[in-house]
Amino acid sequence: MAETKEKSHSDEKPKPRVRPIVRLGIFLVSHSFLVSVVCFTSGVLALFLLPVLAKNTYISENALMPGSASPMLSNHHVSDGNRLVKDLTNSNLKSSETGIESHKIIAKYMLDVGAEVSFHKFHPQMNQFHPLHFFSSPDSGKIQENCSCSSYGINTVGIIRAPRGDGKEAIVLVTPYNALTSSFGEVLSLGIAYSVFSLLTQVTWLAKDIIWLVVDSQFGEYAAVSAWLREYQTPKFSSHSTLNAEMCPDINYLFEIKVHSMAGSKFSNSFRRAGTMTAALVLKVRDQSEQFDDTVSIYAEASNGQMPNLDLINVVNYLAVHRQGLRVNVEKLWSLLNSGWLKSLGEIFESLATIAKSLNPKFKFGIPATEYVEGIATLASSLYYQALGVPTGPHGAFRDYQVDAITLEISPKFSLDKVWCSDILLRGGRLIEGVIRSVNNLLEKFHQSFFLYLLTSPSKFVSVGVYMIAFALLIAPLPMVAASLYVDANSSKGDSSFLFAITDTDEHGITIRSWRWLNSAKSVFIVHLWGAIVSLLPYFICQIPDCSPTTSFMIWVLLSILSLLILNLVLASPLACVKASQEKEWALVKSVTISSVFIGLGLMSVINFATAEIGALLMVPMCLLARPLKLDVRVGTLRSCCRIICNLVLGHIAFPPAAFFLFKGMLDGFGSANVGDFWMWVESLWAWNSATYLFIGMVQLPCWVLCVSILFHSC
Amino acid sequence: MAFLRRPLLLLLLVTHQFLQLWIASGSVNEEGQKQEEFYEELLLKPLPDRKVLTHFHFQSSAPPSTSNGRHHHLFPKAISQLVQKFRVKEMELSFTQGRWNYESWGGFDSIPSSNAKPPGVELWAVFDVPQHLIDALWKNLTHTLSGLFCASINFLESSTSYSAPEWSFPPALGNLRYGTLPREAVCTENLTPWMKLLPCRDKAGISMLLDRPSIYRGFYHSQRLHLTSTGFSSEGMDLGIILEQTLTVVLQPNIQRASLARTSEKHIQPSWSLSSIFGKEVNGKCVLAETSNVYLLLDRSLVAELKQLHKENEKSAEIVLTSENFWTNSNFELSAKPDRIFIEESSLLSKNSSILYKFEIEKYSEFKPFDLGLTWKIPVGWMCQQAPLHASRFLMGSGNERGAIAISLISTQPSEGSMGANFDGERCELRVDVFQVVPWYVKVYFHSLQVFVDQQPKAVSDIIGTIHVSPSKDKVSPGVMELALKLPCNVSSAALTIEFDKGFLHIDEYPPDANQGFDIPSAIVSFPNFHASMVFLENDYLNKSPLLSKFQEKSPVMSYTEVLLVPLTTPDFSMPYNVITITCTVFALYFGSLLNALRRRVAEEERFLKEKAAKKTGRIPLLLSKLSAKLRGRRPEPPHPPPGSSSLVNSKLVLKVVLVAGLAVCWQYYIS
């Protein structure tokens, strides 16, 4: 500081010396148009480059040691599993009230191998909209007053205590099973789990307890798993529901097993626990398959885009591919696989890579075009499911309690007849055994590998450090454009008036002008308030009995418009406050809108990155391009025409329902689209406490409204 | 080998004789004074879930004497020195691996109440010194034991890891310190020093059975060392010490899997013998032992079940249990003939009485090794007697911020209201003592204690009779909670919950495996109104056997709950550098901009500069600068020409950068 002072002393004509960071800021703000175009295009490009930048997965935690031990599951255990399958299918044919009967069979089999068995009765909890329920930890649930015997679900729980373990940790194996309409696939998944279970009762290497949870999926798999977890983690000691359960005749019949089985058995009425859960595997077998290989599909997305530790997926992938010869699948958007433009993009990247390789053979970043297209399809589905915030399977319930969990769905090559049955039992069983064994090796909980990643194939991933770049580039122009708009609006009032204000030293005028943005901030705030009200409305609408989705949606739209009008009347209109003197009002409104969108996107990227990414793709161009149509029409150049068209298109696409229908149409075709679908989709979002819902209601919708209001601004 | 063996045997016999003579002479020399004694015993008990409990009991005692000085014949010197140095009145150290299964292995007898221990190391000691000296002695004791048993007992030295229970821990005598290390791994390196305290090591007698692989293959094993010293007189020399070493192992007899699959044989209990479960036999007793016995205990309910089976099979009204042929009857068969059969006095609690078969090892030798076998002929199923309430403990909640500990007590009695142990009038109470130590980083809120009885919330004051709480101090001492619950006798379930916040540790305080989580040691649940004791008829003999006299002692029923694992917030240890850099950058940016915003006044600066420009530069500063230049020995520089326009500088800079980049590209190209 002293030096600069001296310099200013010595200089003939001292200039205010601006610090380089400020100079850079001023430079960027003054060239905001160029910067925003460059940033946005490079952001989109970076997003499309992600499959190229993806790294191969590797097992980060050394303690896991997958596949280092040879599998111990033998044909003997497979025949055990086969016996259970046979018994269950027979019982299905035999008796009508199979529900209870098959639970008894499963419990008896568990007891036979020496496990502790207990039943867990639960009420399926209806998903209800709690306005303040987002992000809150799952509570123990409400006590339902009138629950009849028919609405009970029964989970069968078998626990193997590790012979020499200290019982502090446990691994959970979940098999969904609907006793009433049991498909062969479900029975087979029970068979696989049982063959592993019977092996695990004999092994000596077990260090963690094993919990086998057969969930009653008649009320949905997720509901059953989350009911069990709720009882496990946050039990209610003062509830009456368990007492009620004892009175139901069916359940009493179930407990006769205690009498029938030999004395000294480990059956108990009370809820059984083992220690802290390390990991959970949900196992399913699909009935029909259209695959050409035996495949394992991995589903990992939990609520709000949370993912299990990458190591868990790596272990499954490694064991399935390199040990059991199964093909591993992660979800893809199949519709993208055939798109020509992606293929050509992939070819461009491939040729670029070959050119780069010819320059320097060390540059090896190219991937074949077909692989690229598959990578993009996987990445898109990965982004989509994370953005949706709805778990893709019952494993999502575990993630709510910070337990790493995935769903494995085995789909056999052939239709499931007896011959291939034992092959699937053996290979699936060995896969599960291997995974359990390597999780059992863990000394600490999963922490070594990534939690924030996107998969581009089962063995390739993009970590947070890479995919953040695309998002950062997308939203980088927002603050600059906001600043430049603000400066513009303040100064371009006319240089003369600015000078006039200065020379007159009209302090009052300066302050008024510099605080003018507050007016537009108020209007933006009102619209955001309206957004909050709109997102609360479904809570009241869903209380209306006998309402079809279409009518609810209509009610919602009507109420939203009504509330917007009321807010306008009561507080102030964002449009009507424009005075003739402030012709640049729209620029200020846009500037404030852009900054609020920037804040919203930034916040959302912390909560659910994928939502923020997709939201940024839609909203950033809309916000940046928004300009009163009148102005553009008045100018009438080619550039303004383009802008008008872009604005109109974006204004349609970025409207949340429109975006939803567009997306749905791309996936399933436009024929089946129905207005009620959007309502159903929204309902599912809030039922799963998805933050995406809040994002749409409180960031995207207000932003769209503000942008549209700017478009139709009268100036 | 045969030639070799005979002289060896002769030698052994000779030494045996010599030793006996020597001991006898020793005892003759000190007439009136008791001599040091050593007993070895083994108890075998079949368990309902196809396993066998083996309980080794070794007891050596040193009577108070002045004549020996510091020397002992049989008693381990290390222990007596330890007792003398640290003034230990009573001490117990246990190393345990695995969990005692209270539901299938029973929780009421004296074996589980005194030998079922929490996983890892548990140590408690009572000192015979004034209160202020205890902590120092405890610290030294932990270090000594740590060296003696090759274990990290010295971690109990830190004041955060031990506590001083007031009354809830059963040997409540004041002056008590209690500490556990739940994560201590137990292995042969701990067993060997323990074995070295035995006079015969594992070379002779019952301890020959202690085959390491088969012990550590077991489902539960707990080695325990318990010592009591009888009074320190003022001289400090003459003190009697009783050292009791027990090893409790639960083993599964080897069974062929193929035979298991046969449904008919599935429920039959496995047959076993000493050689099949340990792979060794007993070749006679340890010559230094007073008595050397093996017992086979049949549980009360097992005996009842057998009686029932007998009745069904043979229709005979009464069978004589003590008859000579009971050991080979239609239910099971023993491979050796018991020397004696004891029957328990039927107590108030149950009509049935357990049966104890005694086998004396003295009669067996190397040529006729002792190998007890039990062969079941028919399937039997029974339940072991359990403590009145089954205690289990678990964590509630999730996340890194807070949670709750819950202790649930569930009645083990199938029907309600059959706990007629202490009916006094209309109000019947079941007293349950709970002793819980929580480490300081689990910050328990004692006000949040909630009690539920039969799924109804109850006022804490109604249920809890006495409560003693010492809150934890950060990094100084753990929190201790002692509760005496008064539950109604017909209680079917009770639960205690208490909430806690998870604390933050300093980065140095994390153990190497911080991501595993942190342990909360087992809580102790004891039932002071219930006593585990087995009183056998024919008392006269039993006094000679330390194991059986131990059975007769009235000890309160005790059980340990599970160890809990609390995941705490852990920093990312792998990248401290990144964290430090990022944090520093953020701080620098934040404070820099904040200071700028607070300190600089842009408008004033501008005005100031403008004024400067308006005025000409003053004379005096110019003179001063000239003067300073002269002093430095340079000619006064002319005022700097104003630097070229910034765009020129920029273009120069860009040119330089382009030049360097071009050079780099060329360089790269030629290199490759």
Side-chain angles (χ1 to χ4, degrees):
Chain A
M1 286 313 239
E3 279 172 42
T4 55
K5 237 177 202 174
E6 252 183 3
K7 249 182 195 169
S8 67
H9 274 292
S10 61
D11 278 358
E12 279 297 310
K13 205 176 178 188
K15 253 191 188 175
R17 194 173 164 75
V18 191
R19 303 173 75 206
I21 192 159
V22 179
R23 243 193 304 170
L24 187 70
I26 290 170
F27 175 79
L28 286 178
V29 167
S30 57
H31 297 83
S32 64
F33 176 73
L34 191 69
V35 168
S36 54
V37 168
V38 167
C39 277
F40 185 77
T41 43
S42 55
V44 175
L45 197 69
L47 192 63
F48 280 104
L49 265 177
L50 285 185
V52 181
L53 299 175
K55 281 191 282 184
N56 281 327
T57 53
Y58 55 96
I59 284 152
S60 181
E61 172 70 86
N62 289 329
L64 283 169
M65 299 191 291
S68 56
S70 51
M72 294 167 79
L73 191 90
S74 63
N75 284 320
H76 183 82
H77 304 107
V78 170
S79 69
D80 277 0
N82 257 329
R83 245 177 335 118
L84 176 68
V85 170
K86 214 173 284 169
D87 276 11
L88 281 177
T89 40
N90 286 346
S91 84
N92 280 346
L93 299 174
K94 200 166 58 193
S95 69
S96 57
E97 43 150 15
T98 52
I100 297 299
E101 192 58 42
S102 46
H103 283 299
K104 267 181 84 167
I105 290 171
I106 296 166
K108 213 168 268 173
Y109 269 85
M110 284 180 180
L111 280 175
D112 278 352
V113 292
E116 291 176 17
V117 180
S118 64
F119 290 113
H120 168 237
K121 302 140 294 191
F122 66 96
H123 283 296
Q125 258 194 339
M126 289 303 124
N127 277 319
Q128 269 167 348
F129 181 56
H130 301 290
L132 299 173
H133 224 198
F134 290 97
F135 318 124
S136 64
S137 59
D139 63 346
S140 48
K142 283 197 300 188
I143 304 165
Q144 272 140 339
E145 297 305 322
N146 49 347
C147 24
S148 62
C149 288
S150 59
S151 68
Y152 270 106
I154 299 162
N155 293 336
T156 315
V157 186
I159 299 178
I160 303 173
R161 305 279 174 196
R164 278 179 288 283
D166 43 13
K168 289 189 290 196
E169 289 168 292
I171 303 169
V172 189
L173 180 63
V174 182
T175 47
Y177 176 65
N178 188 350
L180 297 175
T181 60
S182 64
S183 60
F184 190 63
E186 275 182 339
V187 174
L188 203 59
S189 73
L190 285 183
I192 294 176
Y194 180 70
S195 55
V196 176
F197 200 64
S198 69
L199 165 76
L200 292 178
T201 48
Q202 295 155 23
V203 294
T204 49
W205 44 258
L206 215 56
K208 297 176 166 72
D209 294 352
I210 305 290
I211 305 175
W212 178 23
L213 176 65
V214 181
V215 293
D216 192 348
S217 59
Q218 55 177 317
F219 304 107
E221 294 159 2
Y222 186 93
V225 174
S226 72
W228 181 78
L229 276 169
R230 207 164 35 235
E231 182 70 26
Y232 194 98
Q233 297 278 10
T234 54
K236 269 229 171 312
F237 294 106
S238 60
S239 77
H240 306 278
S241 54
T242 46
L243 282 176
N244 290 345
E246 310 295 296
M247 290 163 194
C248 296
D250 283 1
I251 285 157
N252 282 342
Y253 172 65
L254 195 62
F255 288 117
E256 280 174 26
I257 194 166
K258 197 176 182 182
V259 185
H260 287 308
S261 62
M262 59 180 266
S265 76
K266 296 163 174 174
F267 180 83
S268 76
N269 285 342
S270 56
F271 191 83
R272 304 304 289 258
R273 284 184 176 78
T276 315
M277 285 178 267
T278 330
L281 292 174
V282 183
L283 179 69
K284 289 190 208 171
V285 176
R286 198 186 288 167
D287 276 332
Q288 316 93 0
S289 71
E290 46 290 341
Q291 306 288 334
F292 304 109
D293 275 324
D294 295 338
T295 47
V296 182
S297 309
I298 299 176
Y299 299 90
E301 287 87 0
S303 60
N304 282 325
Q306 297 181 78
M307 298 290 280
N309 197 293
L310 187 57
D311 266 346
L312 189 59
I313 293 175
N314 290 348
V315 166
V316 173
N317 181 43
Y318 179 85
L319 287 172
V321 173
H322 298 290
R323 290 291 180 272
Q324 302 310 321
L326 297 163
R327 233 166 60 101
V328 177
N329 229 356
V330 286
E331 276 288 277
K332 275 178 209 156
L333 288 187
W334 295 101
S335 54
L336 285 181
L337 279 183
N338 301 322
S339 65
W341 63 276
L342 274 180
K343 200 166 273 176
S344 49
L345 193 65
E347 276 157 8
I348 291 169
F349 283 137
E350 196 182 349
S351 54
L352 278 180
T354 47
I355 291 167
K357 203 172 177 182
S358 68
L359 284 178
N360 186 347
K362 276 180 200 161
F363 294 151
K364 275 186 262 180
F365 55 79
I367 54 169
T370 49
E371 204 176 303
Y372 174 79
V373 173
E374 282 203 4
I376 279 281
T378 319
L379 182 77
S381 93
S382 195
L383 266 176
Y384 171 70
Y385 284 111
Q386 287 191 24
L388 210 55
V390 175
T392 47
H395 58 268
F398 286 96
R399 193 63 231 175
D400 294 343
Y401 296 91
Q402 284 86 45
V403 179
D404 293 295
I406 50 172
T407 298
L408 303 179
E409 193 175 54
I410 299 175
S411 40
K413 176 166 48 173
F414 298 97
S415 59
L416 297 166
D417 54 357
K418 295 286 181 273
V419 186
W420 294 102
C421 190
S422 38
D423 177 54
I424 281 297
L425 277 181
L426 187 69
R427 287 163 77 188
R430 283 190 170 168
L431 172 65
I432 300 293
E433 183 211 336
V435 175
I436 285 182
R437 184 154 193 178
S438 61
V439 173
N440 181 63
N441 287 341
L442 265 189
L443 291 175
E444 308 175 68
K445 66 181 183 212
F446 278 109
H447 70 284
Q448 197 67 256
S449 195
F450 294 92
F451 284 98
L452 302 169
Y453 55 89
L454 295 166
L455 287 175
T456 63
S457 87
S459 60
K460 283 197 156 187
F461 75 105
V462 187
S463 81
V464 57
V466 177
Y467 69 61
M468 268 317 256
I469 295 171
F471 180 70
L473 283 173
L474 277 183
I475 63 163
L478 293 180
M480 287 166 210
V481 171
S484 82
L485 278 172
Y486 176 76
V487 170
D488 262 12
N490 263 353
S491 60
S492 70
K493 189 74 180 122
D495 289 347
S496 56
S497 70
F498 184 68
L499 279 175
F500 176 74
I502 291 288
T503 46
D504 250 13
T505 60
D506 182 7
E507 301 257 329
H508 188 66
I510 293 175
T511 40
I512 284 186
R513 202 162 295 119
S514 61
W515 290 105
R516 213 176 43 172
W517 63 272
L518 269 185
N519 203 15
S520 23
K522 192 183 83 180
S523 53
V524 170
F525 173 73
I526 287 167
V527 175
H528 277 271
L529 191 70
W530 171 76
I533 292 171
V534 169
S535 29
L536 282 181
L537 282 177
Y539 175 58
F540 302 103
I541 295 171
C542 71
Q543 312 261 335
I544 304 170
D546 302 331
C547 223
S548 76
T550 315
T551 49
S552 327
F553 180 61
M554 289 306 170
I555 294 171
W556 192 21
V557 171
L558 284 177
L559 280 177
S560 311
I561 293 167
L562 198 69
S563 59
L564 184 61
L565 290 177
I566 291 171
L567 268 178
N568 263 340
L569 284 176
V570 172
L571 294 164
S573 150
L575 312 172
C577 71
V578 184
K579 285 168 204 159
S581 63
Q582 296 167 324
E583 41 187 61
K584 278 281 185 176
E585 178 69 23
W586 68 269
L588 275 181
V589 172
K590 186 178 168 185
S591 149
V592 178
T593 309
I594 286 175
S595 17
S596 74
V597 165
F598 178 69
I599 293 169
L601 284 174
L603 277 179
M604 196 59 207
S605 74
V606 177
I607 298 164
N608 188 347
F609 176 79
T611 312
E613 175 84 52
I614 292 177
L617 278 178
L618 278 177
M619 285 157 64
V620 169
M622 183 176 68
C623 287
L624 292 182
L625 285 174
R627 191 182 156 87
L629 291 174
K630 267 188 187 173
L631 284 181
D632 278 338
V633 170
R634 230 179 280 160
V635 175
T637 57
L638 184 68
R639 190 175 154 190
S640 60
C641 279
C642 285
R643 190 150 55 197
I644 290 172
I645 293 165
C646 284
N647 268 330
L648 286 176
V649 170
L650 281 170
H652 281 104
I653 289 176
F655 183 49
F660 168 74
F661 285 118
L662 197 72
F663 203 82
K664 197 173 156 57
M666 275 197 329
L667 287 183
D668 313 334
F670 288 93
S672 60
N674 181 12
V675 185
D677 286 350
F678 183 70
W679 174 261
M680 306 243 276
W681 182 69
V682 165
E683 212 170 30
S684 81
L685 280 189
W686 56 246
W688 294 106
N689 287 345
S690 169
T692 308
Y693 176 70
L694 285 188
F695 174 77
I696 288 172
M698 293 170 69
V699 180
Q700 195 179 357
L701 189 64
C703 166
W704 178 78
V705 168
L706 286 164
C707 284
V708 167
S709 81
I710 290 168
L711 284 187
F712 294 106
H713 195 276
S714 58
C715 51
Chain B
M1 289 309 280
F3 326 110
L4 272 174
R5 196 186 281 168
R6 192 149 302 165
L8 254 175
L9 257 177
L10 268 172
L11 197 72
L12 203 99
L13 275 172
V14 167
T15 45
H16 182 178
Q17 295 293 328
F18 174 72
L19 269 172
Q20 269 187 344
L21 260 173
W22 187 57
I23 289 165
S25 67
S27 66
V28 166
N29 282 350
E30 298 142 21
E31 69 270 40
Q33 281 203 325
K34 280 161 84 182
Q35 65 189 54
E36 291 174 8
E37 283 166 341
F38 174 68
Y39 300 91
E40 54 171 11
E41 278 154 313
L42 167 65
L43 180 90
L44 299 161
K45 181 182 167 186
L47 293 172
D49 59 344
R50 317 167 63 78
K51 299 191 178 72
V52 182
L53 169 78
T54 55
H55 177 67
F56 294 88
H57 186 105
F58 306 100
Q59 179 171 324
S60 3
S61 56
S65 68
T66 43
S67 56
N68 285 344
R70 294 171 182 277
H71 299 289
H72 295 278
H73 296 294
L74 294 172
F75 197 81
K77 193 174 177 182
I79 297 294
S80 72
Q81 281 177 343
L82 182 139
V83 169
Q84 274 180 357
K85 188 162 183 199
F86 301 117
R87 315 282 288 174
V88 180
K89 207 168 172 187
E90 196 173 355
M91 187 194 89
E92 188 176 277
L93 172 68
S94 67
F95 295 87
T96 310
Q97 193 183 51
R99 289 159 281 172
W100 182 266
N101 190 339
Y102 282 97
E103 280 166 79
S104 29
W105 304 340
F108 200 87
D109 305 332
S110 55
I111 293 177
S113 344
S114 58
N115 290 297
K117 290 286 169 190
V121 167
E122 187 201 46
L123 171 70
W124 58 263
V126 183
F127 298 92
D128 190 31
V129 286
Q131 201 60 245
H132 62 279
L133 291 173
I134 293 177
D135 284 335
L137 280 180
W138 167 266
K139 282 171 189 178
N140 286 328
L141 176 70
T142 54
H143 277 272
T144 313
L145 287 174
S146 170
L148 203 58
F149 287 101
C150 300
S152 42
I153 307 173
N154 54 328
F155 283 115
L156 288 175
E157 169 207 40
S158 134
S159 63
T160 54
S161 55
Y162 68 89
S163 57
E166 293 277 318
W167 44 265
S168 59
F169 194 66
L173 296 162
N175 292 4
L176 175 76
R177 292 292 178 274
Y178 173 88
T180 54
L181 295 171
R183 206 169 280 186
E184 182 73 18
V186 182
C187 201
T188 42
E189 62 179 7
N190 307 119
L191 185 68
T192 312
W194 181 87
M195 206 93 88
K196 276 170 94 174
L197 302 177
L198 300 175
C200 294
R201 310 267 161 101
D202 55 346
K203 301 286 182 257
I206 288 172
S207 50
M208 276 183 78
L209 287 174
L210 293 173
D211 174 46
R212 304 312 198 278
S214 37
I215 290 174
Y216 289 99
R217 205 185 296 135
F219 283 68
Y220 171 86
H221 79 91
S222 169
Q223 82 188 55
R224 198 171 67 102
L225 177 126
H226 183 252
L227 57 90
T228 6
S229 67
T230 52
F232 288 86
S233 68
S234 50
E235 294 92 70
M237 279 302 292
D238 52 350
L239 65 155
I241 313 169
I242 296 172
L243 171 68
E244 194 186 303
Q245 286 171 271
T246 63
L247 178 70
T248 313
V249 189
V250 175
L251 293 161
Q252 180 142 40
N254 284 328
I255 25 166
Q256 259 62 48
R257 169 88 197 171
S259 70
L260 245 182
R262 305 282 86 78
T263 43
S264 58
E265 289 173 24
K266 207 157 188 174
H267 298 307
I268 199 161
Q269 291 280 332
S271 305
W272 50 266
S273 66
L274 280 182
S275 55
S276 79
I277 55 177
F278 286 114
K280 289 188 176 177
E281 294 161 333
V282 185
N283 300 340
K285 70 174 225 175
C286 168
V287 287
L288 299 171
E290 299 287 309
T291 55
S292 175
N293 296 327
V294 174
Y295 300 95
L296 175 71
L297 180 69
L298 297 186
D299 215 39
R300 287 177 191 133
S301 41
L302 174 58
V303 172
E305 186 71 28
L306 289 177
K307 273 185 190 169
Q308 189 69 31
L309 283 171
H310 246 282
K311 266 181 203 166
E312 281 172 14
N313 288 350
E314 298 178 8
K315 302 268 191 286
S316 64
E318 267 303 310
I319 52 150
V320 189
L321 275 172
T322 45
S323 69
E324 287 300 304
N325 64 344
F326 187 69
W327 55 279
T328 164
N329 57 24
S330 57
N331 298 326
F332 64 91
E333 191 179 326
L334 297 177
S335 67
K337 187 173 179 293
D339 295 305
R340 218 162 158 174
I341 299 171
F342 300 103
I343 300 173
E344 189 196 0
E345 270 181 15
S346 52
S347 61
L348 288 168
L349 274 171
S350 60
K351 301 188 291 292
N352 303 310
S353 45
S354 40
I355 297 178
L356 193 69
Y357 300 92
K358 179 190 166 197
F359 304 89
E360 284 168 8
I361 301 296
E362 259 170 309
K363 299 192 294 188
Y364 300 91
S365 66
E366 197 176 353
F367 305 107
K368 190 189 165 197
F370 175 71
D371 183 16
L372 177 65
L374 177 68
T375 316
W376 293 100
K377 291 175 182 166
I378 51 165
V380 199
W382 75 98
M383 300 276 276
C384 278
Q385 195 181 0
Q386 296 188 18
L389 298 173
H390 177 248
S392 68
R393 193 180 60 161
F394 51 90
L395 282 179
M396 285 163 52
S398 62
N400 280 331
E401 197 184 355
R402 57 176 68 93
I405 303 174
I407 298 178
S408 106
L409 302 163
I410 293 166
S411 171
T412 50
Q413 262 65 16
S415 58
E416 287 178 15
S418 59
M419 244 168 271
N422 52 344
F423 252 110
D424 46 350
E426 70 279 2
R427 222 173 114 78
C428 157
E429 270 180 358
L430 171 67
R431 191 179 149 186
V432 182
D433 285 0
V434 179
F435 170 55
Q436 166 80 69
V437 181
V438 277
W440 67 265
Y441 38 78
V442 174
K443 290 166 181 165
V444 172
Y445 294 118
F446 291 102
H447 73 274
S448 64
L449 183 70
Q450 280 182 301
V451 184
F452 299 90
V453 175
D454 290 332
Q455 298 180 334
Q456 298 299 323
K458 289 277 159 82
V460 171
S461 53
D462 290 353
I463 297 298
I464 294 178
T466 327
I467 180 165
H468 172 252
V469 158
S470 65
S472 61
K473 281 183 212 139
D474 277 7
K475 303 175 192 195
V476 174
S477 67
V480 181
M481 181 173 74
E482 296 171 72
L483 298 172
L485 305 179
K486 290 182 292 183
L487 299 173
C489 283
N490 57 357
V491 63
S492 68
S493 74
L496 291 171
T497 62
I498 187 160
E499 289 168 20
F500 62 82
D501 267 3
K502 298 181 181 178
F504 293 100
L505 274 76
H506 189 258
I507 193 157
D508 298 338
E509 290 161 346
Y510 285 99
D513 54 350
N515 273 301
Q516 188 184 356
F518 291 79
D519 294 318
I520 299 182
S522 298
I524 301 172
V525 177
S526 56
F527 305 92
N529 296 340
F530 291 84
H531 293 285
S533 67
M534 249 187 269
V535 182
F536 291 97
L537 301 169
E538 301 169 71
N539 257 332
D540 52 331
Y541 167 77
L542 292 165
N543 290 334
K544 281 190 212 156
S545 158
L547 178 63
L548 298 188
S549 52
K550 202 89 201 158
F551 279 172
Q552 300 199 20
E553 273 174 25
K554 281 200 161 192
S555 58
V557 175
M558 241 167 72
S559 59
Y560 287 84
T561 61
E562 298 91 341
V563 177
L564 294 180
L565 192 68
V566 191
L568 288 188
T569 345
T570 42
D572 191 348
F573 299 104
S574 56
M575 43 167 71
Y577 177 72
N578 295 1
V579 173
I580 289 167
T581 11
I582 286 177
T583 333
C584 288
T585 314
V586 168
F587 268 88
L589 277 177
Y590 174 70
F591 282 112
S593 52
L594 190 74
L595 275 177
N596 261 337
L598 288 175
R599 200 186 62 82
R600 290 184 73 180
R601 294 175 188 168
V602 182
E604 267 183 34
E605 255 173 43
E606 273 173 15
R607 212 172 298 152
F608 177 72
L609 286 174
K610 254 174 212 160
E611 273 171 27
K612 266 276 166 65
K615 268 195 269 171
K616 280 287 167 191
T617 34
R619 280 267 168 88
I620 301 161
L622 203 72
L623 277 176
L624 274 176
S625 66
K626 272 185 183 171
L627 195 70
S628 67
K630 261 190 187 160
L631 282 176
R632 278 185 214 141
R634 274 189 227 153
R635 94 191 157 80
E637 280 176 52
H640 291 284
S645 65
S646 62
S647 65
L648 194 71
V649 171
N650 276 355
S651 67
K652 265 185 190 169
L653 193 75
V654 167
L655 207 69
K656 275 181 199 165
V657 169
V658 166
L659 198 70
V660 169
L663 276 177
V665 168
C666 291
W667 178 260
Q668 177 73 25
Y669 188 74
Y670 280 111
I671 285 292
S672 62

